[in-house]
Amino acid sequence: MGYQAPKLKETLYCLIALVVWLIVTACFIGFRPEHVVMALVIAGLFFAAPSTRRLTVAILPFIIFGISYDWMNLLPNYEVNPVDVGGLYSAEKGLFGITSGGVLLTPNEFWAAHRCAFMDFMSGIFYLCWVPLPVFYGLWLYFTGKTEWYLHFALVFLLVNLLGFAGYYIHPAAPPWYVSLHGFEAVPGTPGDVAGLGAFDRMTGLGIFDALYARNANVFAAMPSLHSAYTFVAFLYSLRAKSGLGWKIVLAIVTLGIWFTAVYTSHHYVLDVLGGIGVTLLGYILFEGVFMRIPGFTRWIERYAAYVSRR
């Protein structure tokens, strides 16, 4: 068969969405080379063939996640509400404090004084999985024909992110490393820091986390910990979709590893991790227990699944 172009309506939807996204980004955030690359990749996949067009529509939840994360730069959360620096630190110490040498420490401070090379290395490995592993799991669901379960997972992944982003604006919060470096005064525009993950960069010489955190435009987005949410969402759906034992084991280990790493490397408090777990469960319950009970929503899911199904 020859080339099958998308319908006129599909073409217009795609082009209008791309143009609006690029204009808003260029005007209010600033254009970067990756924006052009992302637009070209999306357009290329959408227009290349029916199979890649269906894939592009299927991964829309992940595309929207990336754009919405970038668009948080339109209005920094510290301009909406006061930043919690000392309150979260005191609550963490009061609830989870560890006495060491006669001094009460937060778990972050305790682990900062009790580091080891093995945990430094594994922390880097776990944190490198936080987005790629859930995305890979979602694509595995899609390409193995479990389209509806894929959509449930992808849409809950997006919903959890949106709930977490809302939490950043409701309660801007500084991470533990900020207190150790800058004290208890919130200073807008403070650059990101690799904190404990710097040990992995030094050990491997890769500089991965240094590059990632150097571009962090807003460090006051620690509560809830979405690092703690992503592989947990995937783990929940590995159970719900009855994925293989291998997937369940890998996702369980990585999820627990990320929860530990978040605290061990001083990127999050235990309270932040609990917040990430909570927002994951909230998103899952809202989607499966509320939205999926709405007839109009379930019909939309069925149409979505029918459109993106591999055939």
Side-chain angles (χ1 to χ4, degrees):
M1 292 178 64
Y3 172 70
Q4 297 181 43
K7 297 176 182 178
L8 177 60
K9 183 170 68 173
E10 294 174 322
T11 299
L12 289 175
Y13 283 159
C14 179
L15 293 179
I16 290 171
L18 286 174
V19 168
V20 169
W21 164 52
L22 292 174
I23 288 175
V24 172
T25 300
C27 291
F28 299 102
I29 296 175
F31 222 42
R32 300 192 301 271
E34 56 261 38
H35 292 131
V36 178
V37 172
M38 186 175 173
L40 291 174
V41 169
I42 292 171
L45 288 171
F46 189 83
F47 290 103
S51 59
T52 57
R53 189 172 309 129
R54 290 192 295 271
L55 175 62
T56 306
V57 176
I59 64 174
L60 267 178
F62 294 106
I63 295 172
I64 294 171
F65 151 64
I67 292 172
S68 60
Y69 179 82
D70 195 33
W71 276 11
M72 282 198 295
N73 290 300
L74 290 168
L75 179 63
N77 64 342
Y78 51 75
E79 294 182 4
V80 176
N81 279 309
V83 178
D84 183 352
V85 183
L88 199 57
Y89 173 87
S90 298
E92 179 81 1
K93 183 177 284 189
L95 290 170
F96 304 108
I98 300 171
T99 300
S100 179
V103 179
L104 185 64
L105 306 173
T106 66
N108 312 99
E109 292 168 334
F110 174 83
W111 285 115
H114 297 82
R115 306 187 65 86
C116 77
F118 175 74
M119 289 192 293
D120 289 341
F121 179 76
M122 291 307 301
S123 292
I125 297 299
F126 286 133
Y127 245 45
L128 286 174
C129 294
W130 72 293
V131 168
L133 184 60
V135 171
F136 185 72
Y137 172 70
L139 293 175
W140 176 83
L141 285 174
Y142 178 72
F143 284 109
T144 54
K146 299 181 179 181
T147 308
E148 289 209 22
W149 282 124
Y150 162 75
L151 288 178
H152 282 231
F153 162 68
L155 290 169
V156 170
F157 182 91
L158 175 60
L159 177 59
V160 167
N161 273 285
L162 296 179
L163 291 170
F165 296 165
Y168 294 161
Y169 284 93
I170 294 169
H171 183 245
W177 63 259
Y178 183 92
V179 173
S180 66
L181 291 180
H182 306 290
F184 294 102
E185 181 181 355
V187 180
T190 301
D193 192 89
V194 294
L197 290 169
F200 180 86
D201 278 355
R202 292 188 294 272
M203 186 181 299
T204 61
L206 297 175
I208 296 173
F209 294 107
D210 184 61
L212 286 174
Y213 284 97
R215 303 184 64 177
N216 186 2
N218 181 11
V219 303
F220 303 123
M223 166 64 89
S225 166
L226 290 179
H227 282 94
S228 303
Y230 295 163
T231 57
F232 187 35
V233 176
F235 174 71
L236 290 177
Y237 277 97
S238 73
L239 301 177
R240 188 76 187 270
K242 298 181 180 179
S243 301
L245 181 61
W247 270 118
K248 296 171 186 174
I249 292 173
V250 169
L251 288 168
I253 291 173
V254 173
T255 298
L256 292 173
I258 288 175
W259 292 351
F260 173 76
T261 296
V263 177
Y264 176 75
T265 60
S266 287
H267 277 277
H268 290 284
Y269 294 111
V270 174
L271 286 169
D272 300 337
V273 173
L274 293 176
I277 295 169
V279 82
T280 300
L281 295 174
L282 176 60
Y284 178 83
I285 291 169
L286 279 175
F287 187 90
E288 298 292 352
V290 179
F291 298 162
M292 287 303 296
R293 295 179 183 272
I294 302 172
F297 186 80
T298 56
R299 288 194 295 271
W300 176 76
I301 291 288
E302 290 169 358
R303 291 196 299 272
Y304 195 169
Y307 182 90
V308 302
S309 292
R310 301 176 69 243
R311 53 186 184 273

